[in-house]
Amino acid sequence: MASARGAIERTLAEIGHVLEQSLFAETLSRQPGLLQALDPRVKIVGLLALLVSVSVSRNLWVIGGLYGVALALAVVSRLPVGAFVRRVWLVLPFFTGMVALPALFMTPGPTLWSLPFDWVITRTGALTALFLLTRVGTSVSFALLLIWTTPWNTLLKALSVLRVPDGFILILAMTYRYIALLLGIVDDMFLSRKSRVVGKLSTADERRLLAASAGALLGRSLQLSTEVYLAMQSRGYRGRPRTLDTFAMTARDWAWSFGLVALAAVAMVVGQVGG
Amino acid sequence: MAEPVFALQNVDFAYDSGQMALQDVSLSICPGERIVVLGSNGSGKSTLLKLLDGLYYPTGGELKAFGRALTEAAFADDAFNFAFRRRVGLVFQDTDVQLFNASVFDEVAFAPLQLDLPRADVTARVEAAMRDLRIERLRDRAPHRLSGGEKRRVALASVLSLGPEVWLLDEPTTGLDPRSQSWLVDFICAQGAAGRTVVTATHDLTIVDTIADRVLVFGEDHRLAAAGTPAEILSNSELLLACNLTHEHWHRHPEKPDGHRHLHYHGAPHDHGHERTG
Ligand SMILES: Nc1ncnc2c1ncn2[C@@H]1O[C@H](COP(=O)(O)OP(=O)(O)OP(=O)(O)O)[C@@H](O)[C@H]1O
Ligand SMILES: [Mg+2]
């Protein structure tokens, strides 16, 4: 089972890497580019509208078109398009796959392919899985656009200005920090284990080690996030994010927010026509 | 005598898990005093600093800051919370928990922004703090991806930008290179000279007589074991030994080839008290 464990470890490391690159890519948000220059409130409202139209769309072409819009926005914002595509589509199947896979087999309908052991992929099942993957992939892409082009604290403040409740923002802020802590701990734990484990372990020992690490990880990250909250309070945090930037809507911002919302509305209407 | 900054009367503190951390502690700290808190691992130094910062509340006894009791109810009052946070700054022992912003600049700007200082003021303070700690070139980096010493300096800068009149420093020299360490010692002295109160928890006995007017020693039973001037405390080898701050070890001298036992603490010059024959 050593190779299976190796694979798990590699996948964990890969997911960690993607999270790190996606959530903490502050340099991208400070580069010049179209989305970077927009008022964060416009981005939130506009991209959220597009995200909603993706999730209610019953037409694959519309979803594909919206993904095209996401790509175009990435290009004009000078984001690394290759990474933008890979991040979403490489990691996504790992999470969504678990949900999509059963749908593939269990949805009744006309047979598409027959597999050995009487396993049948139905046309309806394949479509359901395809919808699920493309919907989630496109939605995640829009979310990524927002995160990559907006400094984190600015994003939190924009949410607050948009009257998202303080408690929710606090949870977001903590989750973000929590993920960073978790990534750091996972890194350290793998490293320290590597340095301490000499030679090969039996499968049972491997399992025990992995389970113990998971337990330690949970305990340590819980304790750390309590401390983080204390540290935030110590410096005056009362649940309301503040930043130096002042938000001011320019004519361009208004134009873009109408443009994005209009696009989302059209997609929503067209998307109701199945296809 | 001026009103004390902190006054503790028979303070007890136990964590929710039931773990005792402080027991029957009574002390007071005056404005402008420089205090060092000594104690072995687990004796309750960090807990004391968190109590002084109003992050935990005593489970027994009374803790007053600036003449007002620090209780949960007191901090529920925004005005009080605001005033207190502006006056008192805590640098955590574990820098990882203190650095929760996405960039170094945001980190240093966090406290002054939370406390509603004027904008121009915020920028000026952030720039000054970053300059003082030589971290300007890190401004756009993610704090949690810095080296240990860099994190420490960002953590210090993040409180420096607040300009507190009371500093609570939890093992601030850990992980600093010699130059930053001596900068820190100078910094503490300068804060003291400027009339600020500085409470430092440390294991580093070599800096104690430079940065302290008074030393508090905590024992392994979580009680205040002794208080006195640095000279009094550092010369009391039984006390230091009892509180696990020094250890007895073998030390060989060329003039006494069979060796002899003596007490010492790491890094400090020590006098062996035997006449040289060379
Ligand atoms: N979050 C916590 N939950 C439960 N017990 C805790 C917690 N933090 C500390 N303790 C316990 O409280 C006691 C005092 O801990 P504290 O961190 O104050 O010690 P310290 O003097 O700062 O030690 P060190 O020199 O190692 O930093 C210890 O016995 C410790 O195990
Ligand atoms: Mg401590």
Side-chain angles (χ1 to χ4, degrees):
Chain A
M1 287 311 286
S3 68
R5 195 197 55 99
I8 292 176
E9 214 174 288
R10 243 175 298 127
T11 314
L12 276 180
E14 170 71 10
I15 292 176
H17 184 71
V18 170
L19 275 177
E20 167 92 34
Q21 299 287 316
S22 321
L23 287 179
F24 307 104
E26 288 280 307
T27 39
L28 286 179
S29 62
R30 291 174 209 281
Q31 277 172 10
L34 180 115
L35 284 177
Q36 287 92 331
L38 285 186
D39 188 293
R41 289 169 297 180
V42 174
K43 281 186 277 186
I44 292 177
V45 171
L47 295 175
L48 198 71
L50 286 170
L51 208 141
V52 169
S53 65
V54 168
S55 53
V56 301
S57 174
R58 282 190 264 141
N59 185 321
L60 272 179
W61 292 108
V62 170
I63 299 179
L66 287 171
Y67 185 66
V69 171
L71 280 183
L73 284 173
V75 172
V76 291
S77 303
R78 303 201 209 163
L79 301 177
V81 180
F84 180 71
V85 175
R86 257 178 290 125
R87 287 287 140 70
V88 174
W89 299 107
L90 282 187
V91 176
L92 181 75
F94 184 82
F95 292 109
T96 337
M98 291 186 255
V99 189
L101 213 58
L104 206 54
F105 296 105
M106 295 190 319
T107 320
T111 306
L112 194 60
W113 287 302
S114 294
L115 301 175
F117 306 112
D118 286 338
W119 287 60
V120 173
I121 294 182
T122 61
R123 195 184 137 71
T124 339
L127 263 180
T128 311
L130 195 62
F131 262 111
L132 190 67
L133 278 177
T134 50
R135 264 195 201 134
V136 176
T138 310
S139 307
V140 170
S141 300
F142 280 122
L144 210 54
L145 278 179
L146 180 63
I147 295 172
W148 274 11
T149 60
T150 321
W152 183 246
N153 283 351
T154 309
L155 188 61
L156 290 184
K157 184 176 170 189
L159 287 173
S160 168
V161 171
L162 289 172
R163 304 199 178 263
V164 173
D166 288 348
F168 183 77
I169 293 174
L170 174 65
I171 292 172
L172 257 186
M174 292 297 298
T175 309
Y176 177 83
R177 186 61 192 105
Y178 184 76
I179 292 175
L181 274 175
L182 218 62
L183 289 178
I185 302 172
V186 169
D187 258 15
D188 286 350
M189 258 172 32
F190 279 146
L191 282 185
S192 80
R193 226 185 56 187
K194 237 183 225 156
S195 72
R196 276 179 302 174
V197 176
V198 186
K200 270 200 151 45
L201 289 176
S202 71
T203 315
D205 282 343
E206 291 263 12
R207 254 204 315 269
R208 216 166 300 134
L209 245 176
L210 211 63
S213 315
L217 180 66
L218 202 70
R220 184 162 154 67
S221 57
L222 271 176
Q223 191 237 321
L224 278 178
S225 43
T226 320
E227 284 257 306
V228 170
Y229 186 55
L230 289 182
M232 294 172 90
Q233 280 183 304
S234 170
R235 283 196 276 153
Y237 191 71
R238 301 287 272 169
R240 180 156 298 137
R242 293 165 206 270
T243 66
L244 270 179
D245 19 57
T246 35
F247 300 153
M249 296 284 280
T250 60
R252 200 166 96 114
D253 287 321
W254 284 113
W256 271 96
S257 50
F258 284 124
L260 290 174
V261 172
L263 180 65
V266 171
M268 224 176 283
V269 173
V270 179
Q272 293 314 301
V273 185
Chain B
M1 199 175 111
E3 182 181 56
V5 178
F6 296 112
L8 285 75
Q9 203 49 245
N10 307 105
V11 166
D12 290 327
F13 184 79
Y15 282 96
D16 290 337
S17 60
Q19 173 65 47
M20 208 49 175
L22 287 173
Q23 220 160 354
D24 197 22
V25 177
S26 299
L27 56 92
S28 66
I29 295 173
C30 295
E33 237 188 333
R34 294 175 310 156
I35 303 277
V36 158
V37 181
L38 290 179
S40 59
N41 294 135
S43 57
K45 302 181 295 297
S46 300
T47 309
L48 175 70
L49 295 191
K50 283 176 192 152
L51 280 167
L52 296 184
D53 199 34
L55 298 174
Y56 293 141
Y57 312 107
T59 43
E62 194 188 40
L63 164 55
K64 278 187 175 171
F66 312 108
R68 196 162 157 191
L70 295 188
T71 58
E72 199 155 3
F75 279 96
D77 170 14
D78 266 333
F80 176 77
N81 184 66
F82 189 85
F84 182 84
R85 300 280 169 228
R86 245 178 113 144
R87 295 174 85 172
V88 184
L90 167 62
V91 180
F92 281 66
Q93 177 172 3
D94 183 353
T95 47
D96 271 330
V97 308
Q98 179 154 11
L99 307 178
F100 44 78
N101 282 278
S103 76
V104 168
F105 183 91
D106 289 337
E107 196 64 68
V108 181
F110 186 86
L113 280 173
Q114 287 300 323
L115 296 172
D116 270 344
L117 296 179
R119 252 151 221 292
D121 223 23
V122 172
T123 328
R125 279 163 180 256
V126 173
E127 297 300 339
M130 293 208 295
R131 203 172 335 106
D132 272 357
L133 282 141
R134 298 181 287 123
I135 53 170
E136 295 125 303
R137 69 195 165 78
L138 305 176
R139 71 187 297 136
D140 289 332
R141 297 271 303 275
H144 67 280
R145 283 301 185 211
L146 298 175
S147 84
E150 287 170 341
K151 281 184 191 168
R152 179 73 56 188
R153 287 198 255 143
V154 175
L156 281 164
S158 72
V159 176
L160 180 59
S161 59
L162 176 65
E165 60 188 80
V166 179
W167 279 85
L168 306 171
L169 303 167
D170 201 348
E171 305 197 19
T173 53
T174 315
L176 288 182
D177 58 33
R179 182 169 158 204
S180 308
Q181 243 181 66
S182 82
W183 177 87
L184 186 74
V185 169
D186 292 345
F187 173 80
I188 294 175
C189 294
Q191 295 295 319
R196 310 232 160 82
T197 313
V198 188
V199 182
T200 316
T202 187
H203 293 287
D204 187 355
L205 296 183
T206 59
I207 59 172
V208 170
D209 53 1
T210 324
I211 62 165
D213 305 318
R214 196 151 62 94
V215 181
L216 307 172
V217 184
F218 281 84
E220 295 195 310
D221 56 357
H222 313 297
R223 290 169 191 275
L224 188 61
T229 64
E232 282 164 15
I233 299 290
L234 293 179
S235 61
N236 188 344
S237 33
E238 278 118 90
L239 173 73
L240 295 182
L241 188 63
C243 294
N244 262 326
L245 290 163
T246 59
H247 55 124
E248 210 176 5
H249 80 161
W250 277 99
H251 198 100
R252 208 174 276 281
H253 291 275
E255 58 277 22
K256 276 200 164 190
D258 52 329
H260 72 283
R261 256 179 194 291
H262 80 136
L263 295 170
H264 102 158
Y265 50 84
H266 285 284
H270 48 258
D271 185 14
H272 295 108
H274 44 246
E275 59 293 327
R276 299 198 168 261
T277 48

